[in-house]
Amino acid sequence: MDWVAAGVVVGSGVVAALVGAVGLVRRRARGARRAAARERVLERLRPDGPASPLRVLTAPGSATRLWGCRRERGELVEWCVGDGPAVRVLGGPAGVGKSRLALAVAEALPRAWSSGWLRRVEGLAEVVRGPTLVLVDDADLRSDLPALLGAVERGPAALRVLLIARDATRLRETLRARGFAHLLDADPLVLKPFGGTTDRIRWYTDAARAYAGLLGRALPPFGTAAVGADGDTVFLVHARALLAVVHRSDPRSATPRDVAAELLTLETARWRGAPVGDPDLLAAVATLALVPAPDRYRAVIALRALPRFAVRPTAELYSLVEWAWHRYPPGPDHRLDIRPRLVAAWLLANHLTEPAVTGVPADSATPVFLALTRTYQEFPEFLPLLAHAFTANQALLGPGLRAVFTLLAEDAAVDSALAAVVQGSAHPVDLTAEEAPVGFPRVRLALAVRRIHGLLERADTDRASAARAWDVVGTQWRVLGNATSAVVAHRKALALWRGARERADTVLGVAGSLNSISNCLVDLGDPEAALTAAQDAVGVLERGADVPGSATLLWWVRATLVDRLRYLGRYDEAVEVARPEITGRRAATPEDRLRLAGDLDSLSVSLDFAGKPDEAVDTGRAAVALLRGQDDAGHLEALATVLTGLSDRLDKLGRPDEALTAVEEALQHRRRLPDGIPDLATTLLAVADRLCAAGRPGEALPVVDEALGHFRVLVALDRRAHLRGLGTALTVRAECLRRTDRPGDAVAALRAAVEHGREMAEDNRSRALPHLGAWLHALAAHLLATDEDVEAFKVVEESIAVYRELMDTNPTATIGLLAAALRTCAHCLDRLDRPAEALTALRRSVALWREAAQAHGDVHGENYQAALADLRHHLDAAHRDPKRAYQIRGSL
């Protein structure tokens, strides 16, 4: 019995052990399946096995410490473990350390968290177990982001997604427009290049030690020489350190292009076992890194597009594909995943051939053109091949252009190249002008013209559609500075609108075209006709007040009318038009507050010109009060604009301290706003001007130099649009230099400004003349201060000629400027011992000031009295000096 019992017990134990073993095997199998599923969806934070020399440069194989981003790491860790939005966007230029920061965040999370780099979206919800951070590198290049965010909506609450892109703001706005605003953070986290000479030396030595230890190499000699140059990213410094470890050379001063070339050489030296040799191998790898190939057959087809592989044996091409895929496993987009990205871009820029981008498959258009555009961003000399890709694939213009616009907001060279392709293409383009960014005005014009041609070829085109298309063409012509063609297009649109049958949008169309015509006529130097067009637009909308949308457009065209009245110097009428629009209005929503604040600021400008500075300041303060307490970008931008205008009016009232305080606050707001360099530069100029006026020109100089640096960059990007800002900055700098006893430098700055003004006048004379006249007048005054009397007289004569030309079209606004220039001319003539001519110029100046003061005494009365005092002094001097009196009488 005992034996039987013992047998039963032993048997039970064996069965239990067998059952437990089976259960363990099953659990391990399930775990293995889950791990395999996870590997298909999420790549590990750090790769297994020894890293290649190049992979150690970037995440996930980075071997260096995190430099300079500890605050950002803490912020992102706090976001992960908190209750905020599920998705954040991390941005910054190439090589600044975005991926390295993301890796550090994942490694700093609590132990319960799991993390990985996203491979694919399918199956994400199934593999997420517990709190998880998903890292998405190059998120702006991925087409599966909507699917990913949809999975996040359906996924667990503890799922966090960090999107990494170069242009974080554009990516976030694109996703918000697609309806994912509730998942996204309010503001992206944007990294910028940082670090000085000492920082770069520390990064270099730290990276060299890390790479030497990882690769089993001896440390290179460090020395004390500087590494790189200001603006270099952490990646560039680390890449130089890697090259020093591998080559035992001293590449610390190598340029980014030299670094890219050396890194590619280092990588290709390890290409052993390839079925073909250079340069065929370089061309093949470049092609497979560009064209998506979901299977070996597609990869072979891509290689056969190259003439050098067209007749190669299929077995050899399959072997080449196998070798490339083994060395660089394709990423989620089915292209070779070559890292660092700089090396991939250099490979494409130098070894990609035209046949590789000829005949791109339709389903590959987006990733191919994204890769080509990214390569151009790194190496602008790649532009001819990018343009060839569009020329050779004209049937893919639509997706190709959308890919470019995903990465580039503006680029003058690409704009010109692509506009030529769009204009000459015989293929239809499924893209409208409005879909292209405003930074591509030539492409927008080409698309608008194609739209017109398409409508004219159709018999069923209605007048309203054609009119709307002509208005788009006119708008783009004006953006490009061709006001003559623009006004022709808008007049065609106006005729079509007026001939259209009665419909809800006819009134709006007529008013919109008239408003656009008014803008063009100002550019063409016909302000009276521009005023008439603006008045007609207001009248059309007032008669059609019951049409939906007319109230909003009426607000817009009334603002145009106010601007036209101010341009003609009819400031009291401008106030009469602007004030009723504001009286009694309530601002219930943030949008209402923005609009009302803008109207108050415009009224403040009109009141200032109308000689009512106190009321102008009060109105400006009311606009500021409306905007305070709001922290979004729109309100901050408007607040900075209003504060800058308020500062100008406070300065005119003789309250310099308050004026300086207002504009300094405006500058603080400007610095918080992304992508606002033109407005930031303008505000910097206002700060410098206030500091100079307050007797602090030494403090003003670095401020105006910062503005000048911004404007020089902007002029390099778009010369026509920003040349006026550069000239204005030079004039402000000249005044600061004069007040710091550097008159020669001041004159040089103003001479440069005048040259810019002359260039502007060649492009658009009517718009440039007010600025050219002002800069010439300022130069004449500075030349007088340096005793260059003869040149001062020549310059002020040119200024007077400019103002007399302006008097023909805008006498009310120009009369004071001409009077001031004549007064300066009198001083020049007096210095040249030509008293009779000086007296004549002074008398003309006094007559003009008298006429201006009679019309606007509050504005011009003080200047009239000063000119009158000059005339009396001149006559008194002649009375005391018989020789001078004789000269005057003899010449009259």
Side-chain angles (χ1 to χ4, degrees), residues 45-64:
L45 281 180
R46 290 186 179 273
D48 294 332
S52 68
L54 261 62
R55 295 287 286 192
V56 300
L57 275 175
T58 58
S62 177
T64 55

Side-chain angles (χ1 to χ4, degrees), residues 196-520:
T197 302
T198 304
D199 296 305
R200 291 195 299 276
I201 292 174
R202 284 190 292 120
W203 301 343
Y204 183 83
T205 55
D206 177 77
R209 290 191 179 95
Y211 299 147
L214 189 67
L215 301 175
R217 303 290 184 95
L219 275 175
F222 291 128
T224 57
V227 177
D230 289 343
D232 281 356
T233 60
V234 178
F235 170 80
L236 279 175
V237 177
H238 285 182
R240 294 186 183 105
L242 176 65
L243 292 173
V245 169
V246 174
H247 292 321
R248 305 291 299 169
S249 61
D250 189 9
R252 60 182 65 206
S253 60
T255 65
R257 281 173 171 74
D258 292 339
V259 169
E262 285 294 321
L263 289 176
L264 181 59
T265 301
L266 177 63
E267 181 67 7
T268 56
R270 302 175 62 253
W271 285 2
R272 302 182 185 92
V276 297
D278 293 340
D280 291 349
L281 183 58
L282 286 163
V285 175
T287 301
L288 295 175
L290 174 73
V291 182
D295 53 51
R296 292 167 180 77
Y297 174 75
R298 286 284 295 271
V300 168
I301 293 299
L303 291 179
R304 287 210 183 278
L306 305 182
R308 66 188 72 190
F309 292 119
V311 296
R312 293 285 185 94
T314 302
E316 179 182 303
L317 297 186
Y318 268 104
S319 299
L320 180 55
V321 170
E322 290 286 358
W323 174 89
W325 281 14
H326 176 74
R327 188 159 198 86
Y328 306 105
D333 57 359
H334 306 296
R335 293 179 298 173
L336 300 187
D337 188 18
I338 300 177
R339 300 188 191 183
R341 304 300 186 197
L342 182 70
V343 175
W346 185 259
L347 173 68
L348 295 180
N350 288 274
H351 300 286
L352 195 65
T353 59
E354 289 188 354
V357 294
T358 302
V360 174
D363 58 350
S364 302
T366 297
V368 166
F369 281 101
L370 283 172
L372 294 173
T373 307
R374 178 60 61 82
T375 303
Y376 166 77
Q377 286 181 294
E378 296 284 0
F379 304 107
E381 61 268 27
F382 186 70
L383 179 60
L385 193 56
L386 175 63
H388 171 79
F390 278 94
T391 304
N393 300 278
Q394 295 186 20
L396 304 178
L397 276 178
L401 289 171
R402 289 189 179 92
V404 171
F405 300 152
T406 299
L407 296 177
L408 294 177
E410 61 180 0
D411 190 293
V414 176
D415 184 32
S416 297
L418 297 190
V421 177
V422 172
Q423 186 175 356
S425 175
H427 292 265
V429 183
D430 60 335
L431 193 74
T432 64
E434 293 83 356
E435 290 181 76
V438 295
F440 286 84
R442 290 170 180 81
V443 172
R444 287 169 68 99
L445 175 61
L447 290 170
V449 171
R450 288 179 64 94
R451 169 73 174 159
I452 280 291
H453 290 164
L455 289 173
L456 293 178
E457 291 172 358
R458 292 171 49 184
D460 60 341
T461 300
D462 63 284
R463 287 177 175 267
S465 297
R468 201 173 291 111
W470 275 116
D471 271 330
V472 174
V473 171
T475 299
Q476 292 312 127
W477 272 124
R478 183 170 181 253
V479 168
L480 289 169
N482 191 336
T484 302
S485 298
V487 77
V488 170
H490 286 305
R491 280 175 172 156
K492 288 182 178 179
L494 179 62
L496 287 167
W497 280 121
R498 283 176 168 162
R501 66 178 185 273
E502 289 298 325
R503 44 187 285 172
D505 57 355
T506 302
V507 170
L508 306 183
V510 169
S513 295
L514 284 167
N515 193 67
S516 299
I517 290 170
S518 176
N519 292 329
C520 295

Side-chain angles (χ1 to χ4, degrees), residues 57 116 133 152 167 294 349 390 444 529 564 569 652 705 790 795 822 825 831:
L57 275 175
L133 172 63
V152 172
D167 193 339
F390 278 94
R444 287 169 68 99
R564 299 295 98 92
K652 290 180 181 178
D705 283 342
V790 175
V795 171
L822 284 166
C825 182
R831 295 270 288 269

Side-chain angles (χ1 to χ4, degrees), residues 650-725:
L650 287 167
D651 186 59
K652 290 180 181 178
L653 276 178
R655 293 151 72 175
D657 293 337
E658 294 178 65
L660 181 58
T661 300
V663 78
E664 285 180 333
E665 183 187 348
L667 181 58
Q668 291 175 0
H669 296 314
R670 286 282 183 218
R671 292 197 187 278
R672 293 176 58 192
L673 295 168
D675 302 326
I677 288 180
D679 293 325
L680 172 61
T682 303
T683 307
L684 285 165
L685 285 186
V687 172
D689 189 50
R690 297 293 100 83
L691 286 169
C692 193
R696 297 156 62 183
E699 298 175 55
L701 261 177
V703 179
V704 75
D705 283 342
E706 182 183 353
L708 202 56
H710 288 316
F711 276 120
R712 282 180 173 140
V713 172
L714 291 167
V715 165
L717 295 173
D718 190 342
R719 190 170 185 85
R720 187 180 61 84
H722 299 292
L723 206 56
R724 185 185 72 179

